[in-house]
Amino acid sequence: MTAPAHALRVASGAGRGALLAAILASGMVFLDSTVVNVALPRLGAELDATVASLQWTVNGYALTLAAFVLLGGALGDRFGRRRVFLVGAAWFGVASVACGLAQDTGTLVAARFLQGAGGALLTPGSLAVLQASFHPDDRGRAIGVWSGLSGVSTALGPFLGGWLIDTLSWRWIFFINVPVAVGVVLAGLRWVPESRDCDASRTGGERFDVAGALLGALGLAGVTYALVNAPARGLLSTPVRVATLVGLLAAVAFVRRERRRGDAAMLPVGLFTGRLFPVLNVFTVVVYAALGGFTFFLAVHLQNAVGWSALRTGLATMPVTILLLVGSARAGALSARTGPRLPLTVGPVVAAVGLLLLRRVEVSASYWVDVLPGVVLFGFGLTLVVAPLTASVLAAVPDRFAGVASGFNNAASRVGGLLAVAALPLLVGLSGTGYAQRAVLTAAYREALAWCAGLLLAGAVTAALLVHRPSGRSRP
C-alpha cells in the first residue's frame, strides 16, 4: 500500500475532516444495525407483514453486507479507497430513501438488500481511508478517535431510533441516513485523499474475486430462504428443498474455487492452515448468532407482548452498548495478561445467565427488577468477549492476511446473526402473524432465549477446549 503524497495529521483541519467523514459513515451503518429491530413491530403492523417478512427485513441487509464486505475492501484497494468509500455512502443513502418510501414488504426487503450492498463498500472503506490517509505516527490516534466516536453513535442509536419511531414514523430511521450520507460525501470530497494498492492495480487485482463473492452470497441466500420459508411452506416443499440444494451447492463451489485460487483468493486458504483461526470463527458465528437472535426477539417481545413504546424498548438495551464502550479496553488488557481462553470462556457463560434471567419478562414487567439485571449480565459477558476475540483473530494469522482475516471475522459475525434470525422462528414455531399475538409471542420468546443461552454455552465449551494463546503472527 502506498502512502498519500501528503499524509494527514489528526491535529490538522484536513485530518479532522477526514475523521469526520469516516465517523459519520461508520455511525450511519452502526445506527442502522441497532434501530431496525426496534422498528419491526411498527413496520410489521403498518405493512401487514408476516414473521418471514420481518426476518427478511433484517436478513436482506445482513446477507449482502456479509457476502460482499471482503469484495468491497478489494474494490477499494484496486479502484481507489476514497472513490469506493464515497460510492458506498451515496449508495447507502439512496437505498435508505427506498427503504423509507416502501409501501409493501417486498419493496422494503429489496431495498434492504441494496442497502447492505452499500454497507459492504462503507464498512471496510471507513477504516481503510484512515489507515491509508494518515501519517504513520498519527494512525493509532486517528483509529482510536474513530472507534470511540463511532461507539458513541451506536450507543445513541436505540434512543434516537425509538424517539423517531414514536414521534414520527418507522420510516424516519431510514430517512435520517440521507443528511448523514450527504455529509460523508461532502467531507470525503473535501478532505479525504485518494489512495490505492498499486500492486493490485498492476496485477489486475488478484483478490478481485467477483465470482467467489457471488457464490458466497448465493450459498447464504439459499440456506436463509429455506430456513425463513420452511414454517409456511413446509420443510419438504419443493421451494424449500430447491433453495437448500442451491445454497449447499453454491457453498461447495465457493470452497472449491477459493482452494484453487490459493493465496490469490478472496478468502485465502492460508488463513486456515492453523487450528486457532477456524476455531475462533466458529466461536464468532455461535456467539453472534445468540446476539442476533436475542436482539430480534427482545425488541418484538417488549413492544407486542409487554406493551412498551419503541423509545422505551430502544433504551432497554443501552446498558449493553455502554458496557462495551467502557469495558472493552479493560477486557483486551485482561486477555493480553491471561490469554484469550479465560475471557472467551467466562464471557459467554455470564451472558447466558443474563438471557435466562430475561426469559421471565412479561406483561407488567419492571425494567429495574426484571429487565436491567439480565441486560447488564448479558452486556458484561459480551464485553469480556468482543475485544479479546478481535485481537486473537488478528494474532492467529500471518501479518499479510491481517486485513482479510479481520474482514472475514466481521462477515462471520454477521452470518451468525443472519442464520439465527432465519432459524429461530422455525425452531420455536413462530410464523405468520404470530408475533402480533401475545400468548404465541411470549412462548416463542422464552424458547428462543433458551436456544440463545444454549448457543452461548456451546461457545464457552468451544473456547475452553480449543482456544489457546496465539503464538504470535508469522512473518509476512
Side-chain angles (χ1 to χ4, degrees), residues 153-292:
S153 72
T154 305
L156 294 176
F159 170 79
L160 177 61
W163 180 82
L164 287 171
I165 294 164
D166 284 342
T167 306
L168 299 173
S169 164
W170 63 266
R171 299 179 185 276
W172 280 91
I173 68 169
F174 298 112
F175 291 148
I176 194 67
N177 291 332
V178 177
V180 181
V182 170
V184 172
V185 172
L186 293 177
L189 289 172
R190 174 69 178 85
W191 289 298
V192 176
E194 185 59 282
S195 65
R196 57 173 49 86
D197 186 341
C198 293
D199 291 336
S201 299
R202 284 195 298 268
T203 60
E206 288 185 324
R207 291 206 177 102
F208 191 58
D209 188 6
V210 177
L214 292 176
L215 285 171
L218 185 60
L220 287 174
V223 173
T224 303
Y225 179 90
L227 290 171
V228 169
N229 287 277
R233 295 179 177 271
L235 281 170
L236 299 180
S237 65
T238 298
V240 170
R241 286 187 294 173
V242 170
T244 302
L245 180 62
V246 169
L248 293 177
L249 289 176
V252 171
F254 171 78
V255 172
R256 293 184 64 182
R257 175 180 174 81
E258 299 307 290
R259 282 181 175 174
R260 286 198 306 269
R261 288 173 62 88
D263 285 352
M266 180 180 71
L267 185 59
V269 293
L271 288 172
F272 299 93
T273 54
R275 188 188 72 177
L276 185 57
F277 183 77
V279 167
L280 289 171
N281 280 284
V282 170
F283 177 88
T284 298
V285 170
V286 170
V287 169
Y288 278 86
L291 173 61

Side-chain angles (χ1 to χ4, degrees), residues 334 428 454:
L334 172 65
V428 302

Side-chain angles (χ1 to χ4, degrees), residues 10 14-24 130 134 141-143 145-146:
V10 172
R16 289 192 292 268
L19 267 172
L20 175 66
I23 290 166
L24 288 176
L130 297 184
F134 279 86
R141 182 181 173 194
I143 292 172
V145 172
W146 166 81

Side-chain angles (χ1 to χ4, degrees), residues 313-335:
T313 298
L315 290 174
T317 55
M318 275 192 70
V320 175
T321 308
I322 293 171
L323 284 167
L324 284 168
L325 287 173
V326 173
S328 289
R330 294 177 175 84
L334 172 65
S335 177

Side-chain angles (χ1 to χ4, degrees), residues 327-338 383-384 386-388 391:
S328 289
R330 294 177 175 84
L334 172 65
S335 177
R337 290 196 304 271
T338 67
T383 300
L384 288 174
V386 172

